[in-house]
Each structure stands twice: as structure tokens, then as C-alpha cells.
Amino acid sequence: YGVPDLSGPNKDRIYELRSYEGHTEKISENKIKMFNDGDEVGLFKRLGFNAVFYGEVISGPTMPNLMYMTTFENKADRDAHWDAFRSDPYWKELSSLPQYQNNVSKNVTTFLYPTDYSDI
């Protein structure tokens, strides 16, 4: 995905790590399909979420699980991006489709901050 398009100081930057667990593999596969085929990835790109990675957890106690990380200039920038995401007409349409209902059993969000010596 490349180097994030951010210009603010590292001390203000925020990284957001999100994981979406499903009760079963079938339910998790549905969320992953929504993310890929439903083009949530494209929506994140269009809205400038600065993706670090998108991935599917293949080992560990939190499977099945979709995980991704995005980064923002600061907390206010992060909040503004999520407000834009939630109010986006495409997201509203996609998330209302019957085939994509109830496809997450647990969402865990972790915020991370770079150190003074971090490159990005």
C-alpha cells in the first residue's frame, strides 16, 4: 500500500489496528467477502484512510478474524475519517444488504502511537 500520505509530526500520529472476529468460519468469510468483493477496501482508499495492511488471521486464538491497520495525522483526523465513512452513501447501502448482516461477533480496536525514532 505504500508509505502513508501524512505530513504532521510523528508525535501526533495515530495508528488504528482493527480486528473483526466471527462466530464461525462461514460468518467470518462473509465479512471478508464484504470487505473485498463489497469493496470496503476501495471505500477506505477513496476516503484516504492510509492503509498500512489488510489481512486475514491464519493462526492464533482469535480465529476466524479479519484484521487491518490504518494511520492518521492525529485523533481528530481519525475521528473525521470515521465520520465520513459512517455517513458515506456507499457504506450505508453496502451495510444494509441482507447478505452482509450479522457477520461480526467481536470488533477489537487498538490505538498505537509511533516513537520519536519511527520512520513513518
Side-chain angles (χ1 to χ4, degrees), residues 47-61:
L47 295 175
F49 268 69
N50 290 301
V52 176
F53 73 85
Y54 299 108
E56 183 178 345
V57 174
I58 59 170
S59 177

Side-chain angles (χ1 to χ4, degrees), residues 40-80:
E40 278 187 72
V41 172
L43 179 56
F44 280 118
K45 186 174 182 174
R46 179 169 55 83
L47 295 175
F49 268 69
N50 290 301
V52 176
F53 73 85
Y54 299 108
E56 183 178 345
V57 174
I58 59 170
S59 177
T62 61
M63 289 180 54
N65 187 340
L66 165 72
M67 186 175 280
Y68 64 89
M69 180 182 282
T70 53
T71 185
F72 307 95
E73 296 281 357
N74 51 47
K75 179 77 164 59
D77 183 46
R78 178 258 179 206
D79 293 347

Side-chain angles (χ1 to χ4, degrees), residues 12-119:
D12 296 334
R13 191 160 302 160
I14 186 170
Y15 292 85
E16 183 170 6
L17 179 66
R18 284 187 167 228
S19 71
Y20 294 88
E21 297 176 31
H23 290 296
T24 66
E25 287 184 23
K26 183 178 180 180
I27 289 171
S28 185
E29 286 171 7
N30 180 266
K31 177 59 182 173
I32 292 166
K33 182 177 180 175
M34 181 182 185
F35 208 75
N36 293 322
D37 297 347
D39 204 25
E40 278 187 72
V41 172
L43 179 56
F44 280 118
K45 186 174 182 174
R46 179 169 55 83
L47 295 175
F49 268 69
N50 290 301
V52 176
F53 73 85
Y54 299 108
E56 183 178 345
V57 174
I58 59 170
S59 177
T62 61
M63 289 180 54
N65 187 340
L66 165 72
M67 186 175 280
Y68 64 89
M69 180 182 282
T70 53
T71 185
F72 307 95
E73 296 281 357
N74 51 47
K75 179 77 164 59
D77 183 46
R78 178 258 179 206
D79 293 347
H81 277 82
W82 279 109
D83 286 345
F85 182 89
R86 283 187 291 275
S87 64
D88 188 89
Y90 183 76
W91 169 247
K92 287 182 177 186
E93 177 185 342
L94 181 66
S95 63
S96 71
L97 294 174
Q99 69 264 33
Y100 294 135
Q101 299 301 302
N102 303 311
N103 61 7
V104 174
S105 63
K106 183 177 180 183
N107 173 4
V108 177
T109 301
T110 304
F111 296 107
L112 305 160
Y113 305 91
T115 61
D116 291 338
Y117 53 83
S118 297
D119 289 337

